[in-house]
Every structure is written in C-alpha cells, then in structure tokens.
Amino acid sequence: MKKYVMLQAPKENEHDTAPQILIIDNSTAIGKSRVEKLVNQGYRFAGTIETELSESIVRSGICRDRIDRLEAYQSRIREVRQLLGNTLETV
C-alpha cells in the first residue's frame, strides 16, 4: 500500500478559490524532503491518500473532469478548423 501526501499551493491572489493540490509520494527521502521544502514555501497539508495505485493514476483520476473538458474543447476546435478549411477551399 502506498501513502501519498496532498499539499495545497498557497493562494496566488485573493480571487484564487482553488489553488493547485500536489500529490507526493513521501515514502522516500526525496519525497519527504520535497514535502518539507513545499511546506516551508507556504503549501498547506490537505490530506493523505492510501492506495495501491501509482501517483500518476491517482492524479489523473482526480483531474478526470478537467481532462474530459479539455478533450471536448480540442474536439470542437478541430471541428471549427475543418469547417473553416472547407469554407476557405470553396472561396
């Protein structure tokens, strides 16, 4: 079982309602020193996750809705480019 620490970035401005949350594997000396460094930079403890999954899978699962929205925007942009390309060819 792996245990990850979640740290929330400090707010960049007063309107920042959801600062980034980092997921860090602190089971190694490098991970522990990274957590220590970030806390000293103003990051706040947001919780822990205990799982068999790798750090990248946990991160992508947490960000899934953003990934889905980004893919939808990219699909729309491709459609617009195709439409514009077809329109310009007929002019």
Side-chain angles (χ1 to χ4, degrees), residues 16-76:
D16 193 0
T17 58
Q20 180 182 16
I21 293 179
L22 300 178
I23 300 168
I24 303 166
D25 179 359
N26 71 336
S27 64
T28 65
I30 294 171
K32 288 177 184 175
S33 68
R34 184 170 180 219
V35 168
E36 220 175 278
K37 179 182 170 188
L38 290 170
V39 168
N40 289 335
Q41 292 175 0
Y43 281 70
R44 295 181 312 155
F45 179 75
T48 59
I49 298 173
E50 205 168 315
T51 181
E52 294 290 331
L53 302 173
S54 70
E55 184 178 340
S56 61
I57 291 173
V58 171
R59 187 179 306 113
S60 66
I62 290 173
C63 298
R64 186 75 239 168
D65 64 327
R66 289 185 181 185
I67 293 168
D68 290 343
R69 279 188 279 156
L70 177 61
E71 288 173 352
Y73 290 137
Q74 289 172 335
S75 176
R76 289 180 192 159

